[in-house]
Amino acid sequence: MQIDKHSVVTLHYTLKDNDGNVLDESSDGSFCYLHGENNIIPGLEDALAGRLSGDALSVSVPPKDGYGEHDTERTQTVSRDMFPSEDEIEPGMQFQAEGPEGQALLVTVVKVEEDTVTVDGNHPLAGVQLNFDVKIVDVRAANAEEIEHGHVHGPGGHNHE
Ligand code: ZN
C-alpha cells in the first residue's frame, strides 16, 4: 500500500549530518508515525509520500524543511542567578525554559561566565542538513480513533493507559 494521508508508516531510519556523524536512529529497530499530521519534519514527510512498503530511500533535508535555520536572536545571555546555585552549569547542558508565548522551550547552555550564562533556544538540529537513510517496513491505513487523535496507537505508538 502507498503512503498517503492517514497511513500508519513503520520505518527504520538513520540520520546523519554532512560529516557522516550519526545524529539519531530508530531505536529497537523501527519507528512508527501517522502520515499527513505533521508528526515528522516536513522534508522527510514529503519525501515519503507515495512510497511503498519495502522501499529504501536516502533523503537530504535542508534546515528550512527540518528544524529551521539557526536563529541568533534565540541566543540570550542571562544572569547566573537564574540557575540553581548548587548546580554546576556547563556548556551542553539543557534546561526547560519558557518561550515568549509561555510555551515550553528547551534551551542549551553554550557559554558560562562568572555572572552570566548564555543559552541557545534553537532546536539542537537547527541549521543542520539532515541526511536520512530510510527503509519502509510497513504501511497500513489508520483507524478512525488514530485519525481523530492525530497519532498512532498500539505497538510503537501512543499507549493511553
Ligand atoms: Zn490517542
Side-chain angles (χ1 to χ4, degrees):
M1 149 172 207
Q2 236 181 356
I3 297 176
D4 199 353
K5 188 170 171 71
H6 296 154
S7 295
V8 171
V9 183
T10 303
L11 51 82
H12 295 295
Y13 70 91
T14 305
L15 169 60
K16 292 178 184 165
D17 64 17
N18 280 350
D19 297 323
N21 299 307
V22 175
L23 303 174
D24 191 20
E25 56 192 328
S26 41
S27 53
D28 296 331
S30 65
F31 167 82
C32 178
Y33 78 98
L34 179 62
H35 190 87
E37 293 287 345
N38 301 312
N39 288 318
I40 62 172
I41 58 165
L44 183 58
E45 188 161 56
D46 289 349
L48 288 167
R51 295 294 189 142
L52 300 164
S53 179
D55 279 3
L57 61 153
S58 295
V59 186
S60 190
V61 178
K64 70 175 177 59
D65 297 322
Y67 294 100
E69 300 291 349
H70 191 271
D71 179 357
T72 50
E73 288 185 11
R74 292 197 197 158
T75 296
Q76 52 172 318
T77 299
V78 297
S79 168
R80 175 70 178 76
D81 301 343
M82 298 198 38
F83 295 86
S85 54
E86 64 273 18
D87 293 356
E88 190 74 34
I89 307 297
E90 291 173 356
M93 290 175 83
Q94 293 188 315
F95 292 90
Q96 200 74 242
E98 201 168 278
E101 280 118 50
Q103 76 277 34
L105 182 69
L106 189 67
V107 299
T108 306
V109 174
V110 290
K111 195 163 138 194
V112 181
E113 288 177 297
E114 194 172 343
D115 298 320
T116 59
V117 176
T118 303
V119 296
D120 186 350
N122 285 283
H123 188 282
L125 295 178
V128 177
Q129 179 91 14
L130 305 168
N131 304 299
F132 289 93
D133 283 316
V134 178
K135 171 98 203 259
I136 301 165
V137 178
D138 186 58
V139 181
R140 67 167 169 88
N143 63 41
E145 194 184 47
E146 288 171 323
I147 292 169
E148 192 189 322
H149 288 196
H151 56 228
V152 177
H153 293 159
H158 273 252
N159 183 341
H160 287 292
E161 279 184 83

